Amino acid sequence: MAIEVYTSDFLIIGSGIAGLSFAIKASQLGTVHIVTKKKDFDSNTNYAQGGIASVFDPHDSIELHIQDTLISGAGLCNEQAVRILAESGPKRVQELMDWGAHFSTQTNQNGSVTLDLGREGGHSHNRIVHAKDLTGQEVERALLDAIAKIKNITIFENHTAVDLLTQHQLKLAGRHTNNSVSDITCYGAYILDNTSGVVHIFNAAYTLLATGGIGQIYLHTTNPDIATGDGIAMAYRAGALIADMEFIQFHPTAFYQPGNKERSFLISEAVRGEGGILVNSRGERFMDTVHPLKELAPRDIVARTIDMELKRLGDHCVFLDISFKDKDFLISRFPTIYRYCMEAGIDMTKEPIPVVPAAHYLCGGIVSDLNGKTSIENCYVSGESACTGIHGANRLASNSLLEGIVFSHRAYCHIQETFNPELKATIPEFPQWDKKGTFDLEEWILIQHNVEDVKRIMWDYVGIMRSNLRLERAERRIALLEDEIQDYYKRSTVTSRLIELRNLVTTAKLVVESALLRKESRGLHYNINYPQQDEKLKGSFIISCNQPPMFMKISDISFL
Ligand code: FAD
Ligand code: SIN
């Protein structure tokens, strides 16, 4: 198959909530190409259970949503971004409904029908808009259905982005200033057609990175196999600024199943929101003495307490009990969770569910300003791969789907102001991808083992409880594995899996580097050598491939 040059106004990498919602809007301005490395619905979005946090209850308020988010973020949130998130929330959720998403409703005593708002950890009110326990699947369905009707959007399934097309030069105009302006411009990306093995050139006036999370760097994760940090690693290689990578959120309650599964099944926080309690193997409740919100304390606290409980008793799991609730209610409210547990031999209406924490969400990522703009010109980012500073050191439950729709909308609005349909005609000619190599099966198997090593190292040394010794050990081992994988990458023909492995190890390196820089404990980052929060460290470590780390507040960054 011949190498093609595809040109569009917008290249969107990723087909989760961030990419798809942006596509619908961008199509009003010009042509849109969406590339996605598996099927169109394969994404973290598709697995979201709990829902979308937004203020719809008249007794709730935007200010409370802001306060809850700030408290959860442990002093590191970008307050302006949080305000935008909470204020825009109801409008953007309404837009999802206008595009065809159906969320669960309730009929009130006066006969009126309103959204059924769930409760999750860290929220002071019921404000989780949901579609039973399949919210993400419903959102994906609605967005993909809407896109199918739009002529100037083309989705390329089974296409994996390899690297961004940029000059790969970074000259920041002044470090430690409020404005970090780079002179790198993005013109699209090299994209591998997974089926033919050909790497095409996708030129675009504007590129949106919407590649999602990095859960797959850990042995146990709720994330599906697409979550290998590709967008973050690509942006890092191109010279973009990356921040807050140390803040990995471990979801307290993944279903406990011995053996390594690619993805741990999530037991939504909404189960605790409906009254579920956590007990240890002795049947003792342990969250009630730890935090006033008990089982609904912020996630970092619940996950850490479970971790300590497991270590204290030498157990493999704790238990989430909601069996005291009405059976019909449980089956109707949590049909997916009920079915999964039944298939695994647990009847949640009669007995407690065995649960353990698992890597779930990355709070950091590619630094973006309030318009979704990265430090690379014409390159935007939205969703889990972005670092807007909204989540600070710990994301509030169900704020991430919301972040995706709110900041994709803002990126669209920002581009719309200066959109130039002629821009794509000025893209310089990029060389064809000519890297060919041999495929050595034996060596490939060794490299695959390397990935299992990365996942194990990250789980053992860069998990819920960290220490200097563990982090330094992880740093040395990840560096070695990175060298081996990079070397193999240089000598081999590119494949989707190889691209992922390379990105996985780069992302792991960024997490370890960031965790070593933060010499305190805050939010999701807990280091036993620095158990206290340090007020001097109320900021972010900003990493780039071109210069030493900088320490500054995300709110001080704007890419003009
Ligand atoms: P994703 O939805 O992950 O989409 C990323 C896309 O990028 C995918 O299509 C992927 O294939 C593609 N991609 C990646 N790399 C490449 C590449 N190199 N080339 C081409 N394509 C690429 N958040 C909430 O707010 N509420 C919830 O209830 C909730 N529940 C969750 C439950 C689970 C089990 C999980 C895993 C997460 C949950 N989250 C929840 C988090 C939330 O789902 C994600 O943060 C959010 O969906 C991320 O959206 P996104 O569009 O940024 O990325
Ligand atoms: C859940 O349903 O518990 C996940 C919610 C989230 O990650 O925001």
Side-chain angles (χ1 to χ4, degrees):
M1 194 183 173
I3 294 175
E4 302 280 349
V5 177
Y6 296 94
T7 301
S8 60
D9 293 295
F10 297 92
L11 170 65
I12 299 171
I13 307 178
S15 57
I17 192 168
L20 296 181
S21 63
F22 180 81
I24 294 174
K25 300 194 169 201
S27 68
Q28 295 166 34
L29 298 175
T31 48
V32 178
H33 287 161
I34 303 175
V35 296
T36 189
K37 65 182 171 179
K38 294 210 160 170
K39 301 294 283 178
D40 53 10
F41 56 80
D42 278 318
S43 58
N44 272 6
T45 300
N46 203 44
Y47 290 91
Q49 292 182 355
I52 310 176
S54 207
V55 173
F56 282 94
D57 178 357
H59 301 296
D60 191 6
S61 77
I62 300 287
E63 282 311 312
L64 282 172
H65 188 184
I66 293 170
Q67 284 315 311
D68 291 344
T69 305
L70 295 178
I71 291 169
S72 191
L76 279 204
C77 292
N78 176 358
E79 195 167 336
Q80 221 186 328
V82 172
R83 186 160 288 281
I84 288 170
L85 180 85
E87 284 173 353
S88 330
K91 234 187 190 159
R92 299 280 78 82
V93 172
Q94 181 59 50
E95 198 165 49
L96 280 180
M97 293 192 273
D98 296 343
W99 285 330
H102 299 294
F103 295 122
S104 299
T105 53
Q106 61 180 14
T107 306
N108 303 307
Q109 276 171 349
N110 63 3
S112 64
V113 176
T114 51
L115 287 167
D116 176 36
L117 301 171
R119 184 78 168 262
E120 286 182 11
H123 288 275
S124 56
H125 257 79
N126 282 34
R127 63 168 76 101
I128 314 296
V129 178
H130 61 96
K132 294 187 183 274
D133 59 359
L134 282 171
T135 309
Q137 198 173 304
E138 174 58 10
V139 167
E140 270 299 294
R141 181 206 60 74
L143 292 171
L144 286 168
D145 283 357
I147 281 177
K149 297 184 197 120
I150 302 174
K151 281 208 180 68
N152 54 340
I153 302 181
T154 312
I155 302 190
F156 296 79
E157 291 184 316
N158 294 311
H159 279 65
T160 307
V162 187
D163 265 317
L164 295 176
L165 301 173
T166 66
Q167 307 97 325
H168 280 258
Q169 286 156 18
L170 181 72
K171 284 186 199 129
L172 280 176
R175 284 174 51 185
H176 303 279
T177 63
N178 283 359
N179 297 334
S180 292
V181 181
S182 87
D183 64 357
I184 308 174
T185 303
C186 179
Y187 301 101
Y190 284 115
I191 308 283
L192 170 73
D193 176 342
N194 300 346
T195 314
S196 66
V198 175
V199 176
H200 301 294
I201 290 176
F202 276 65
N203 283 329
Y206 302 93
T207 301
L208 178 82
L209 292 167
T211 48
I214 67 167
Q216 284 293 327
I217 68 172
Y218 284 93
L219 197 59
H220 303 291
T221 177
T222 62
N223 291 192
D225 59 3
I226 53 99
T228 50
D230 297 4
I232 295 170
M234 275 192 290
Y236 172 73
R237 284 194 291 274
L241 305 183
I242 313 288
D244 288 352
M245 295 293 287
E246 65 274 38
F247 299 117
I248 306 288
Q249 185 167 73
F250 289 80
H251 197 293
T253 58
F255 190 83
Y256 171 68
Q257 270 170 314
N260 291 337
K261 298 192 91 182
E262 195 142 70
R263 183 177 79 84
S264 303
F265 181 78
L266 182 74
I267 306 295
S268 174
E269 203 152 291
V271 174
R272 278 174 281 137
E274 295 291 353
I277 58 163
L278 287 163
V279 293
N280 62 24
S281 58
R282 296 173 181 167
E284 298 157 344
R285 197 172 174 185
F286 52 85
M287 278 311 299
D288 49 351
T289 50
V290 175
H291 193 278
L293 287 171
K294 303 178 182 166
E295 278 80 3
L296 288 178
R299 253 178 220 178
D300 55 329
I301 296 169
V302 183
R304 224 166 17 245
T305 309
I306 293 177
D307 192 63
M308 287 192 289
E309 200 64 12
L310 295 180
K311 286 185 177 127
R312 186 174 74 84
L313 296 176
D315 287 336
H316 292 298
C317 64
V318 295
F319 297 88
L320 177 57
D321 191 5
I322 191 151
S323 58
F324 46 84
K325 282 275 215 184
D326 177 67
K327 179 176 178 175
D328 292 340
F329 165 75
L330 289 178
I331 296 174
S332 137
R333 174 69 178 86
F334 301 114
T336 320
I337 296 173
Y338 173 73
R339 209 173 319 120
Y340 188 92
C341 289
M342 280 304 264
E343 279 166 17
I346 300 289
D347 183 348
M348 69 187 277
T349 68
K350 294 198 178 112
E351 59 195 318
I353 309 168
V355 290
V356 278
H360 183 63
Y361 184 84
L362 169 68
C363 294
I366 305 160
V367 176
S368 118
D369 68 9
L370 297 174
N371 296 311
K373 204 165 183 296
T374 72
S375 53
I376 297 179
E377 198 55 33
N378 296 342
C379 181
Y380 288 74
V381 62
S382 176
E384 192 165 340
S385 41
C387 179
T388 53
I390 278 175
H391 309 302
N394 180 30
R395 174 182 67 110
L396 183 67
S398 286
N399 262 354
S400 45
L401 292 173
L402 186 63
E403 181 188 16
I405 37 175
V406 166
F407 282 84
S408 285
H409 173 76
R410 289 188 62 89
Y412 159 74
C413 293
H414 187 252
I415 293 171
Q416 186 192 30
E417 282 169 20
T418 55
F419 178 72
N420 171 7
E422 306 304 324
L423 192 59
K424 58 183 179 300
T426 65
I427 295 173
E429 199 174 317
F430 277 83
Q432 289 190 353
W433 183 269
D434 64 353
K435 196 176 80 60
K436 288 202 177 61
T438 52
F439 183 80
D440 178 338
L441 184 61
E442 198 196 355
E443 202 178 348
W444 169 247
I445 291 165
L446 295 179
I447 294 294
Q448 283 272 39
H449 288 172
N450 281 358
V451 170
E452 283 151 33
D453 291 346
V454 170
K455 288 160 88 78
R456 166 71 60 194
I457 290 167
M458 294 303 287
W459 185 255
D460 288 346
Y461 302 145
V462 201
I464 296 175
M465 300 287 243
R466 301 165 179 179
S467 72
N468 288 347
L469 185 76
R470 287 173 184 214
L471 291 175
E472 281 158 13
R473 182 170 292 188
E475 185 183 37
R476 285 193 299 275
R477 295 184 180 189
I478 294 287
L480 190 71
L481 293 170
E482 190 189 23
D483 283 350
E484 287 179 10
I485 292 173
Q486 292 288 15
D487 175 57
Y488 182 72
Y489 178 83
K490 279 189 204 130
R491 292 184 288 107
S492 303
T493 300
V494 74
T495 63
S496 183
R497 190 61 188 142
L498 183 55
I499 292 165
E500 289 183 335
L501 304 191
R502 179 185 183 222
N503 293 331
L504 206 93
V505 74
T506 301
T507 314
K509 178 184 75 173
L510 295 174
V511 174
V512 176
E513 188 178 341
S514 306
L516 274 165
L517 286 166
R518 185 163 294 281
K519 300 194 187 314
E520 64 162 350
S521 289
R522 182 187 293 274
L524 297 161
H525 174 74
Y526 191 89
N527 183 333
I528 58 171
N529 297 113
Y530 311 103
Q532 302 304 327
Q533 198 162 293
D534 181 346
E535 281 314 288
K536 292 192 293 301
L537 293 181
K538 244 178 152 180
S540 295
F541 292 98
I542 318 263
I543 297 177
S544 118
C545 68
N546 294 313
Q547 60 180 40
M550 300 182 284
F551 182 71
M552 62 197 293
K553 285 190 165 39
I554 297 285
S555 54
D556 287 342
I557 296 177
S558 142
F559 305 114
L560 300 173

